[in-house]
Amino acid sequence: MLRIHVSRLDLSRVRMATRPDALWETILSFHRLRDRRASTVFGKWRTESRARLNGEAQLLAAVVPPRGYFPDFLTPSQEGAEPFGLDVGMEALRDTPADRVHAELELLAADRTRHRTDRSVGQRAATALPAALMEGRAEPLTRLIGALRSYHQAAVEPYWPHIRASIEADRAVRGRALLDGGTDELLATLPPTIRWRSPVLEADYPVDRDLHLDGRGLLLQPSFFCRGTPVVYRDPSLPPVLVYPVTNPGAPVFAEPGPWLGRLVGHTRSAVLSSIGTGCTTSELARRAGVSLASASQHASVLREAGLVLTLRHGSSVLHTLTPLGGSLLRGGAPLTLH
């Protein structure tokens, strides 16, 4: 179990990430690529992504085992970075001090020995790249960064609008909880594997661990590819971040366009889409759009099938939010910006 000790000062400094973190999604998606579970959600994505890969998986597997510890330097903190995205993360990774790379790869080697996770890639492949990185030379790090970028382009970038929409829907749910009951309510609405028992935030975790925030606050980072247990940095001196899984609405992840497109016409449905705005319940949607509750629910369902709306449960009600595609449609087809 993970226990995060939260003082009153820390509670005032809890904050939500503004968008998905490209490197966290890249590394965690690599876990999902090798995980046979959740085929309904990730099956099609795995098939499509594997077809686009060209040797990156074997190289990345040398530093990202299928389970257990992976080096913290692979997902550098980007708090305050603008623009916030993959390029900034790659530069931060490249700037990691050599002694830190060496220390974290030693931890990886010890963890591999303890859990024998190197069987998935073979002993030689599992040690060759880490050994080269530990020498502190620029070339192995450049190779690793190149593999990460190529993998991201194959397995994450094509799906970024959906990933971003899922994180924005989760932020809408957490934001409403924050408005309704403050930070205590926000922490209480995190996924079931995370439990707020003031002053301790408990979470299911592979090992027994205590993390003391010591007045630094906590960044909550929702993640599409995080599944099951949340993730934190192993090094307690790094800026505290809790990466947790977004709620999965249960639909296939990257659905193909279907016959619902022909139903996306009419003044009423346009008004419903516009009424959703930054998020609303079905009852609020009915009031805003001037339609019955049943009609609002039916319109939201069609818009959800079309990929224009995401719907998540919030307590006893549901919360509808726009996807980037839905927002783009309202803006008159303005292109999406992928961060």
Side-chain angles (χ1 to χ4, degrees), residues 177-250:
L178 182 65
L179 290 172
D180 289 347
T183 310
D184 283 284
E185 181 69 14
L186 165 63
L187 295 177
T189 63
L190 292 173
T193 56
I194 306 170
R195 298 163 295 279
W196 174 231
R197 293 170 179 165
S198 180
V200 178
L201 188 64
E202 297 180 350
D204 296 343
Y205 206 65
V207 297
D208 196 52
R209 183 174 173 199
D210 287 272
L211 175 60
H212 295 269
L213 300 182
D214 297 327
R216 295 173 295 170
L218 180 67
L219 175 67
L220 299 175
Q221 176 67 63
S223 167
F224 182 81
F225 284 108
C226 181
R227 281 295 179 259
T229 59
V231 186
V232 296
Y233 287 130
R234 180 147 175 180
D235 184 351
S237 69
L238 292 173
V241 56
L242 180 70
V243 182
Y244 68 89
V246 296
T247 302
N248 171 29

Side-chain angles (χ1 to χ4, degrees), residues 263-284:
R263 308 204 301 269
L264 284 177
V265 294
H267 173 75
T268 301
R269 192 155 292 144
S270 297
V272 168
L273 186 65
S274 179
S275 297
I276 289 174
T278 57
C280 63
T281 65
T282 305
S283 297
E284 290 167 342

Side-chain angles (χ1 to χ4, degrees), residues 2-14:
L2 171 67
R3 291 172 294 274
I4 301 177
H5 299 267
V6 185
S7 68
R8 298 311 297 181
L9 177 59
D10 291 313
L11 199 61
S12 69
R13 294 178 176 176
V14 171

Side-chain angles (χ1 to χ4, degrees), residues 30 34 56-66 69-71 74 105 108-109 112 117-118 120-131 133 143-144:
F30 190 52
R34 295 170 291 175
E56 297 89 350
Q58 185 172 2
L59 188 62
L60 293 183
V63 292
V64 185
Y69 172 73
F70 60 85
L74 294 174
L105 289 173
L108 174 65
R112 267 206 157 105
T117 55
D118 56 351
S120 62
V121 292
Q123 180 66 33
R124 183 175 179 181
T127 58
L129 178 62
L133 287 167
R143 261 199 303 144
L144 174 61

Side-chain angles (χ1 to χ4, degrees), residues 75-93:
T75 52
S77 172
Q78 296 191 48
E79 279 198 85
E82 288 292 343
F84 187 105
L86 183 67
D87 290 338
V88 173
M90 291 296 187
E91 287 306 309
L93 198 164

